[in-house]
Each structure stands twice: as structure tokens, then as C-alpha cells.
């Protein structure tokens, strides 16, 4: 077999983990067509059939499983070398991938995650897409579902509840007005809810979830928000009860091979304490303290 770049092997592993080209494309940023060509190339160059292809996805053959298992060992060794190299380059950076509102909570409580005495820096990547750790784009992620990847370790944090919020003491009696993220950007269930349940009453759409809070505060309309955001805001009030179908659990996830690195272990422990200290708020239990507008 001719030698191949490590990148094509990593692409193969992503397809195997995602179960198809679409999931692998989301994880890598490459097009499904490009990934498909790479999979044909690796099969041609190994002289073996690695996948059973169908309309429902890609399933590893026996040869594919053998290659995947061998590459996992190579991947683990590569991560150790990368970590060792970074330690020699200076201050290590711990990369966190989180959604809009968990990122907001981390930023609001940043000294609880990283202090001036720490010998590492934090890089916080904010987005609604699933945190991907396969290529080590991130060291730590927060997910709304239990990870299925065998290479990930996880810690269950608790449940997250959602409700509709509007400007506090806003006049009632008129037609319901809603604000929402643009439909093409609504990739999370709570972001899709206004489009599914109140499509004809949306009066403003924005490109990022963070702007929903500003619009609701300004009285533009009702917004679906996590309860730990809306209940803590003195300018907002709930309109109705919790939206039960949106409730979900959330996990902190990290790579099995990296979780024992001192700086990653430290940040994971601190994030766990921070998020669990808000467990009642996450679950939709209103705060006991009161705030004046």
C-alpha cells in the first residue's frame, strides 16, 4: 500500500464515527462529495472494501473495523505528541465549544473557570452546532444529548428547561408577537419552536440567538429562552408555563485521551462546579432572590 497522509485517515475515522458523508461533512467542513472521493481513494489504495454503502449511511465492513481500530491507536499517539509539543511552545490553551447561553454563563463567571494564577489560557468557541472533538478542534464541549462516540468521556450536569419570555409588565390584550432566529439558523429545538408553533406571529428575526434576549427586553415580542437566562433577567417575565417538550439533559464532554491533561482536568472540574451550582435554574426552578428592574 502506498503511503497516505494522516488527514485522509482522519477523514475515514470521521465517516466511520458519523455513519455517513453528511455527518462527516458537518464535522470537517468539507463537502460530502469531497469526502466521498477520499473514501474511494483510501479503498483503492488499500485494496479493500471498507464500507457497506446504502441510502441510510456508511457501515464499516470487517476490514473497515480492523483499520478503524488500528487508527484509533495512532490517533491517541498523535494527540499525545501534539500535547507534548504544545507544552513546549508556551502557555497551553484549553478550547471550549459551547452554545450561546452556556457560553454566556461561562463568560459571566469567567474567574470561576480561569484565574490570573493559572498557567493556561481559554479559547471559547460559541455556536449552536454540536461540539465536535474528533479532530481536536475543541478540548471540552457542552452537549444537549449523551455522546455516543466511544472516544469521548462525559459528565452529566442536569436538565435544561425552556419557556417563553417577554418584557416585564408589558401591556397585554393585543395579538401575540414573537421574535425568532432566522429559520435557516434555527438548528436547535428551542430555536425552531416559534417557527413551528407561531410562524404567522413572528415580527422580527435575527441571525444569532443572543439577540433574542435584547429584543425581548426591548418589548419587541416574546422569545423562547432557557429558563436559567430568562428567570435571572430582571427585565423579563415568563408568559405561561415551561415548554415541556423542549426540556433536555446536558453533558460536559471531553476526549478520553486528553481528559487527564492537568489544564483540561482543571477546567472540566471548574465547569462542572459552575454548571451544577445553577442546576435548579437550569431545570426551570425560579430563583429565590429577587431583582429590581
Amino acid at each position: 500500500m502506498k503511503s497516505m497522509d494522516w488527514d485522509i485517515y482522519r477523514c475515514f475515522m470521521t465517516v466511520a464515527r458519523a455513519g455517513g458523508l453528511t455527518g462527516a461533512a458537518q464535522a470537517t467542513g468539507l463537502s460530502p462529495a469531497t469526502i466521498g472521493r477520499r473514501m474511494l481513494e483510501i479503498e483503492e489504495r488499500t485494496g479493500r472494501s471498507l464500507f457497506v454503502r446504502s441510502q441510510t449511511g456508511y457501515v464499516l465492513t470487517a476490514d473497515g473495523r480492523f483499520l478503524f481500530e488500528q487508527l484509533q491507536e495512532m490517533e491517541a499517539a498523535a494527540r499525545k505528541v501534539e500535547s507534548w509539543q504544545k507544552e513546549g511552545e508556551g502557555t497551553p490553551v484549553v478550547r471550549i465549544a459551547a452554545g450561546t447561553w452556556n457560553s454566556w454563563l461561562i463568560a459571566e463567571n469567567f474567574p470561576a473557570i480561569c484565574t490570573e494564577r493559572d498557567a493556561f489560557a481559554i479559547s471559547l468557541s460559541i455556536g449552536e452546532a454540536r461540539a465536535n472533538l474528533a479532530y481536536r478542534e475543541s478540548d471540552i464541549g457542552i452537549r444537549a444529548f449523551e455522546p455516543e462516540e466511544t472516544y469521548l468521556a462525559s459528565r452529566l450536569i442536569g436538565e435544561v428547561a425552556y419557556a417563553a419570555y417577554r418584557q416585564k409588565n408589558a401591556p397585554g390584550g393585543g395579538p401575540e408577537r414573537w421574535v425568532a432566529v432566522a429559520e435557516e439558523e434555527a438548528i436547535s429545538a428551542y430555536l425552531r419552536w416559534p417557527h413551528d408553533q407561531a410562524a404567522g406571529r413572528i415580527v422580527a428575526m435575527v441571525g444569532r440567538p443572543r439577540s433574542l434576549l435584547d429584543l425581548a427586553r426591548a418589548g419587541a415580542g416574546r422569545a423562547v429562552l432557557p429558563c436559567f437566562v430568562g428567570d435571572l433577567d430582571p427585565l423579563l417575565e415568563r408568559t405561561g408555563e415551561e415548554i415541556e417538550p423542549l426540556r433536555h439533559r446536558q453533558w460536559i464532554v471531553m476526549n478520553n485521551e486528553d481528559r487527564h491533561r492537568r489544564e483540561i482536568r482543571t477546567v472540566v472540574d471548574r465547569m462542572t462546579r459552575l454548571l451544577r451550582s445553577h442546576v435548579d435554574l437550569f431545570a426551570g426552578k425560579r430563583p429565590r432572590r429577587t431583582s429590581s428592574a
Side-chain angles (χ1 to χ4, degrees):
M1 181 181 68
K2 297 179 181 178
S3 62
M4 284 185 284
D5 292 337
W6 176 235
D7 283 346
I8 195 169
Y9 285 130
R10 294 201 304 178
C11 193
F12 163 79
M13 297 183 76
T14 303
V15 174
R17 286 165 173 155
L21 301 182
T22 301
Q26 293 173 348
T28 64
L30 300 173
S31 70
T34 297
I35 296 174
R37 287 193 297 270
R38 290 190 176 184
M39 294 307 97
L40 290 173
E41 178 185 354
I42 197 173
E43 286 183 321
E44 179 181 348
R45 294 174 69 174
T46 59
R48 299 175 186 271
S49 176
L50 303 176
F51 296 102
V52 175
R53 294 166 171 83
S54 70
Q55 291 183 343
T56 58
Y58 279 40
V59 178
L60 289 173
T61 63
D63 284 328
R65 288 193 298 272
F66 174 83
L67 178 60
F68 183 80
E69 290 170 1
Q70 302 308 308
L71 290 176
Q72 280 185 308
E73 297 179 8
M74 294 174 61
E75 186 181 48
R79 287 192 181 119
K80 291 178 181 178
V81 172
E82 289 174 2
S83 298
W84 170 78
Q85 180 180 356
K86 286 182 179 179
E87 288 175 0
E89 292 174 350
T91 303
V93 177
V94 179
R95 296 162 298 176
I96 304 171
T100 297
W101 303 113
N102 279 313
S103 296
W104 167 80
L105 183 65
I106 290 171
E108 289 277 306
N109 297 273
F110 191 79
I113 303 298
C114 182
T115 73
E116 61 183 15
R117 297 184 300 276
D118 290 320
F120 57 81
I122 298 291
S123 174
L124 182 58
S125 177
I126 304 171
E128 296 302 308
R130 181 177 69 178
N132 176 48
L133 282 71
Y135 280 3
R136 299 181 77 252
E137 293 94 339
S138 301
D139 300 307
I140 304 167
I142 302 178
R143 286 188 178 178
F145 55 92
E146 187 172 9
E148 298 177 349
E149 299 92 331
T150 57
Y151 61 91
L152 291 182
S154 63
R155 292 185 184 181
L156 177 62
I157 298 302
E159 295 190 332
V160 183
Y162 296 80
Y165 293 86
R166 67 177 181 180
Q167 184 186 54
K168 194 171 186 178
N169 299 322
E176 288 185 359
R177 294 161 59 88
W178 290 84
V179 296
V181 166
E183 194 162 6
E184 61 271 17
E185 302 293 335
I187 63 176
S188 299
Y190 83 97
L191 297 176
R192 292 193 299 270
W193 194 93
H195 296 283
D196 295 338
Q197 305 295 328
R201 291 166 281 163
I202 297 174
V203 298
M205 286 188 287
V206 293
R208 58 177 191 154
R210 179 62 180 79
S211 297
L212 296 175
L213 182 61
D214 299 324
L215 286 171
R217 284 172 169 172
R222 305 179 185 200
V224 177
L225 296 169
C227 291
F228 76 91
V229 176
D231 286 345
L232 281 181
D233 196 306
L235 300 180
L236 297 179
E237 63 184 5
R238 284 195 203 182
T239 63
E241 299 300 319
E242 174 196 344
I243 304 173
E244 291 277 357
L246 297 181
R247 178 180 283 261
H248 62 80
R249 295 192 289 176
Q250 71 175 355
W251 285 260
I252 294 176
V253 297
M254 69 227 79
N255 198 290
N256 264 322
E257 291 294 327
D258 295 337
R259 63 193 176 103
H260 298 298
R261 285 169 46 193
R262 180 180 301 177
E263 65 274 12
I264 292 179
R265 185 175 68 248
T266 297
V267 173
V268 167
D269 288 344
R270 291 174 181 176
M271 285 177 58
T272 300
R273 285 195 295 270
L274 172 63
L275 297 182
R276 285 180 177 169
S277 72
H278 290 74
V279 66
D280 286 346
L281 283 171
F282 275 115
K285 299 178 182 179
R286 300 172 193 258
R288 294 180 181 177
R289 60 186 174 86
T290 58
S291 302
S292 57

PDB file of all heavy atoms in Angstrom, residues 69-86:
ATOM      1  N   GLU A  69      -9.838   0.355  14.164  1.00  0.00           N
ATOM      2  CA  GLU A  69      -9.231   0.032  15.461  1.00  0.00           C
ATOM      3  C   GLU A  69      -7.744   0.361  15.481  1.00  0.00           C
ATOM      4  O   GLU A  69      -7.217   0.877  16.476  1.00  0.00           O
ATOM      5  CB  GLU A  69      -9.452  -1.449  15.771  1.00  0.00           C
ATOM      6  CG  GLU A  69     -10.908  -1.784  16.084  1.00  0.00           C
ATOM      7  CD  GLU A  69     -11.152  -3.272  16.147  1.00  0.00           C
ATOM      8  OE1 GLU A  69     -10.180  -4.040  15.969  1.00  0.00           O
ATOM      9  OE2 GLU A  69     -12.317  -3.683  16.352  1.00  0.00           O
ATOM     10  N   GLN A  70      -7.050   0.077  14.371  1.00  0.00           N
ATOM     11  CA  GLN A  70      -5.619   0.394  14.315  1.00  0.00           C
ATOM     12  C   GLN A  70      -5.393   1.902  14.325  1.00  0.00           C
ATOM     13  O   GLN A  70      -4.462   2.406  14.960  1.00  0.00           O
ATOM     14  CB  GLN A  70      -4.992  -0.226  13.059  1.00  0.00           C
ATOM     15  CG  GLN A  70      -5.149  -1.731  12.945  1.00  0.00           C
ATOM     16  CD  GLN A  70      -4.687  -2.459  14.194  1.00  0.00           C
ATOM     17  OE1 GLN A  70      -3.559  -2.247  14.662  1.00  0.00           O
ATOM     18  NE2 GLN A  70      -5.543  -3.309  14.748  1.00  0.00           N
ATOM     19  N   LEU A  71      -6.252   2.619  13.634  1.00  0.00           N
ATOM     20  CA  LEU A  71      -6.088   4.065  13.549  1.00  0.00           C
ATOM     21  C   LEU A  71      -6.404   4.752  14.877  1.00  0.00           C
ATOM     22  O   LEU A  71      -5.873   5.831  15.159  1.00  0.00           O
ATOM     23  CB  LEU A  71      -6.983   4.635  12.442  1.00  0.00           C
ATOM     24  CG  LEU A  71      -6.571   4.285  11.011  1.00  0.00           C
ATOM     25  CD1 LEU A  71      -7.592   4.821  10.017  1.00  0.00           C
ATOM     26  CD2 LEU A  71      -5.179   4.838  10.694  1.00  0.00           C
ATOM     27  N   GLN A  72      -7.261   4.153  15.674  1.00  0.00           N
ATOM     28  CA  GLN A  72      -7.528   4.732  16.991  1.00  0.00           C
ATOM     29  C   GLN A  72      -6.256   4.796  17.824  1.00  0.00           C
ATOM     30  O   GLN A  72      -6.036   5.771  18.555  1.00  0.00           O
ATOM     31  CB  GLN A  72      -8.600   3.910  17.714  1.00  0.00           C
ATOM     32  CG  GLN A  72     -10.010   4.212  17.264  1.00  0.00           C
ATOM     33  CD  GLN A  72     -11.041   3.479  18.091  1.00  0.00           C
ATOM     34  OE1 GLN A  72     -10.968   2.266  18.274  1.00  0.00           O
ATOM     35  NE2 GLN A  72     -11.998   4.194  18.607  1.00  0.00           N
ATOM     36  N   GLU A  73      -5.434   3.767  17.722  1.00  0.00           N
ATOM     37  CA  GLU A  73      -4.165   3.766  18.454  1.00  0.00           C
ATOM     38  C   GLU A  73      -3.231   4.846  17.921  1.00  0.00           C
ATOM     39  O   GLU A  73      -2.551   5.534  18.688  1.00  0.00           O
ATOM     40  CB  GLU A  73      -3.514   2.391  18.347  1.00  0.00           C
ATOM     41  CG  GLU A  73      -4.336   1.266  18.975  1.00  0.00           C
ATOM     42  CD  GLU A  73      -3.658  -0.087  18.822  1.00  0.00           C
ATOM     43  OE1 GLU A  73      -2.485  -0.098  18.373  1.00  0.00           O
ATOM     44  OE2 GLU A  73      -4.284  -1.101  19.155  1.00  0.00           O
ATOM     45  N   MET A  74      -3.203   5.004  16.597  1.00  0.00           N
ATOM     46  CA  MET A  74      -2.387   6.054  16.000  1.00  0.00           C
ATOM     47  C   MET A  74      -2.887   7.437  16.410  1.00  0.00           C
ATOM     48  O   MET A  74      -2.108   8.341  16.694  1.00  0.00           O
ATOM     49  CB  MET A  74      -2.391   5.922  14.479  1.00  0.00           C
ATOM     50  CG  MET A  74      -1.718   4.669  13.948  1.00  0.00           C
ATOM     51  SD  MET A  74      -1.920   4.476  12.151  1.00  0.00           S
ATOM     52  CE  MET A  74      -1.104   5.972  11.576  1.00  0.00           C
ATOM     53  N   GLU A  75      -4.213   7.582  16.452  1.00  0.00           N
ATOM     54  CA  GLU A  75      -4.813   8.863  16.819  1.00  0.00           C
ATOM     55  C   GLU A  75      -4.452   9.237  18.257  1.00  0.00           C
ATOM     56  O   GLU A  75      -4.128  10.394  18.549  1.00  0.00           O
ATOM     57  CB  GLU A  75      -6.333   8.771  16.666  1.00  0.00           C
ATOM     58  CG  GLU A  75      -7.068  10.076  16.885  1.00  0.00           C
ATOM     59  CD  GLU A  75      -8.555   9.887  16.727  1.00  0.00           C
ATOM     60  OE1 GLU A  75      -9.120   8.935  17.309  1.00  0.00           O
ATOM     61  OE2 GLU A  75      -9.174  10.690  16.015  1.00  0.00           O
ATOM     62  N   ALA A  76      -4.510   8.255  19.136  1.00  0.00           N
ATOM     63  CA  ALA A  76      -4.170   8.516  20.533  1.00  0.00           C
ATOM     64  C   ALA A  76      -2.707   8.939  20.658  1.00  0.00           C
ATOM     65  O   ALA A  76      -2.377   9.873  21.401  1.00  0.00           O
ATOM     66  CB  ALA A  76      -4.434   7.271  21.372  1.00  0.00           C
ATOM     67  N   ALA A  77      -1.822   8.258  19.917  1.00  0.00           N
ATOM     68  CA  ALA A  77      -0.403   8.620  19.963  1.00  0.00           C
ATOM     69  C   ALA A  77      -0.183  10.012  19.400  1.00  0.00           C
ATOM     70  O   ALA A  77       0.610  10.799  19.944  1.00  0.00           O
ATOM     71  CB  ALA A  77       0.411   7.602  19.178  1.00  0.00           C
ATOM     72  N   ALA A  78      -0.899  10.350  18.323  1.00  0.00           N
ATOM     73  CA  ALA A  78      -0.750  11.677  17.720  1.00  0.00           C
ATOM     74  C   ALA A  78      -1.190  12.764  18.686  1.00  0.00           C
ATOM     75  O   ALA A  78      -0.564  13.828  18.777  1.00  0.00           O
ATOM     76  CB  ALA A  78      -1.565  11.752  16.431  1.00  0.00           C
ATOM     77  N   ARG A  79      -2.253  12.505  19.428  1.00  0.00           N
ATOM     78  CA  ARG A  79      -2.727  13.503  20.402  1.00  0.00           C
ATOM     79  C   ARG A  79      -1.693  13.733  21.491  1.00  0.00           C
ATOM     80  O   ARG A  79      -1.484  14.867  21.939  1.00  0.00           O
ATOM     81  CB  ARG A  79      -4.042  13.030  21.020  1.00  0.00           C
ATOM     82  CG  ARG A  79      -5.228  13.118  20.076  1.00  0.00           C
ATOM     83  CD  ARG A  79      -6.511  12.909  20.855  1.00  0.00           C
ATOM     84  NE  ARG A  79      -7.643  12.969  19.950  1.00  0.00           N
ATOM     85  CZ  ARG A  79      -8.484  11.961  19.746  1.00  0.00           C
ATOM     86  NH1 ARG A  79      -8.308  10.834  20.396  1.00  0.00           N
ATOM     87  NH2 ARG A  79      -9.495  12.082  18.918  1.00  0.00           N
ATOM     88  N   LYS A  80      -1.071  12.667  21.945  1.00  0.00           N
ATOM     89  CA  LYS A  80      -0.055  12.812  22.994  1.00  0.00           C
ATOM     90  C   LYS A  80       1.125  13.632  22.496  1.00  0.00           C
ATOM     91  O   LYS A  80       1.665  14.480  23.221  1.00  0.00           O
ATOM     92  CB  LYS A  80       0.408  11.436  23.454  1.00  0.00           C
ATOM     93  CG  LYS A  80      -0.653  10.657  24.222  1.00  0.00           C
ATOM     94  CD  LYS A  80      -0.151   9.275  24.603  1.00  0.00           C
ATOM     95  CE  LYS A  80      -1.229   8.485  25.341  1.00  0.00           C
ATOM     96  NZ  LYS A  80      -0.775   7.110  25.683  1.00  0.00           N
ATOM     97  N   VAL A  81       1.529  13.389  21.242  1.00  0.00           N
ATOM     98  CA  VAL A  81       2.634  14.153  20.678  1.00  0.00           C
ATOM     99  C   VAL A  81       2.242  15.632  20.543  1.00  0.00           C
ATOM    100  O   VAL A  81       3.033  16.532  20.851  1.00  0.00           O
ATOM    101  CB  VAL A  81       3.055  13.577  19.313  1.00  0.00           C
ATOM    102  CG1 VAL A  81       4.066  14.493  18.629  1.00  0.00           C
ATOM    103  CG2 VAL A  81       3.642  12.184  19.489  1.00  0.00           C
ATOM    104  N   GLU A  82       1.013  15.890  20.078  1.00  0.00           N
ATOM    105  CA  GLU A  82       0.556  17.274  19.930  1.00  0.00           C
ATOM    106  C   GLU A  82       0.524  17.977  21.272  1.00  0.00           C
ATOM    107  O   GLU A  82       0.913  19.147  21.387  1.00  0.00           O
ATOM    108  CB  GLU A  82      -0.831  17.291  19.282  1.00  0.00           C
ATOM    109  CG  GLU A  82      -0.817  16.897  17.812  1.00  0.00           C
ATOM    110  CD  GLU A  82      -2.213  16.787  17.243  1.00  0.00           C
ATOM    111  OE1 GLU A  82      -3.177  17.048  17.987  1.00  0.00           O
ATOM    112  OE2 GLU A  82      -2.346  16.429  16.069  1.00  0.00           O
ATOM    113  N   SER A  83       0.048  17.287  22.303  1.00  0.00           N
ATOM    114  CA  SER A  83       0.000  17.883  23.638  1.00  0.00           C
ATOM    115  C   SER A  83       1.404  18.182  24.152  1.00  0.00           C
ATOM    116  O   SER A  83       1.661  19.243  24.720  1.00  0.00           O
ATOM    117  CB  SER A  83      -0.720  16.937  24.606  1.00  0.00           C
ATOM    118  OG  SER A  83      -2.048  16.727  24.211  1.00  0.00           O
ATOM    119  N   TRP A  84       2.320  17.239  23.952  1.00  0.00           N
ATOM    120  CA  TRP A  84       3.710  17.433  24.359  1.00  0.00           C
ATOM    121  C   TRP A  84       4.338  18.612  23.637  1.00  0.00           C
ATOM    122  O   TRP A  84       5.031  19.434  24.217  1.00  0.00           O
ATOM    123  CB  TRP A  84       4.480  16.150  24.064  1.00  0.00           C
ATOM    124  CG  TRP A  84       5.964  16.279  24.205  1.00  0.00           C
ATOM    125  CD1 TRP A  84       6.691  16.281  25.350  1.00  0.00           C
ATOM    126  CD2 TRP A  84       6.906  16.413  23.133  1.00  0.00           C
ATOM    127  NE1 TRP A  84       8.035  16.417  25.065  1.00  0.00           N
ATOM    128  CE2 TRP A  84       8.183  16.495  23.714  1.00  0.00           C
ATOM    129  CE3 TRP A  84       6.782  16.462  21.743  1.00  0.00           C
ATOM    130  CZ2 TRP A  84       9.338  16.631  22.951  1.00  0.00           C
ATOM    131  CZ3 TRP A  84       7.925  16.594  20.982  1.00  0.00           C
ATOM    132  CH2 TRP A  84       9.189  16.678  21.588  1.00  0.00           C
ATOM    133  N   GLN A  85       4.041  18.735  22.353  1.00  0.00           N
ATOM    134  CA  GLN A  85       4.587  19.831  21.564  1.00  0.00           C
ATOM    135  C   GLN A  85       4.057  21.174  22.061  1.00  0.00           C
ATOM    136  O   GLN A  85       4.804  22.142  22.197  1.00  0.00           O
ATOM    137  CB  GLN A  85       4.233  19.642  20.091  1.00  0.00           C
ATOM    138  CG  GLN A  85       4.769  20.744  19.176  1.00  0.00           C
ATOM    139  CD  GLN A  85       4.384  20.510  17.726  1.00  0.00           C
ATOM    140  OE1 GLN A  85       3.780  19.500  17.392  1.00  0.00           O
ATOM    141  NE2 GLN A  85       4.732  21.452  16.877  1.00  0.00           N
ATOM    142  N   LYS A  86       2.753  21.219  22.359  1.00  0.00           N
ATOM    143  CA  LYS A  86       2.157  22.476  22.823  1.00  0.00           C
ATOM    144  C   LYS A  86       2.717  22.895  24.175  1.00  0.00           C
ATOM    145  O   LYS A  86       2.889  24.084  24.447  1.00  0.00           O
ATOM    146  CB  LYS A  86       0.639  22.327  22.895  1.00  0.00           C
ATOM    147  CG  LYS A  86      -0.016  22.316  21.525  1.00  0.00           C
ATOM    148  CD  LYS A  86      -1.519  22.218  21.637  1.00  0.00           C
ATOM    149  CE  LYS A  86      -2.156  22.241  20.256  1.00  0.00           C
ATOM    150  NZ  LYS A  86      -3.629  22.130  20.338  1.00  0.00           N
TER     151      LYS A  86
END
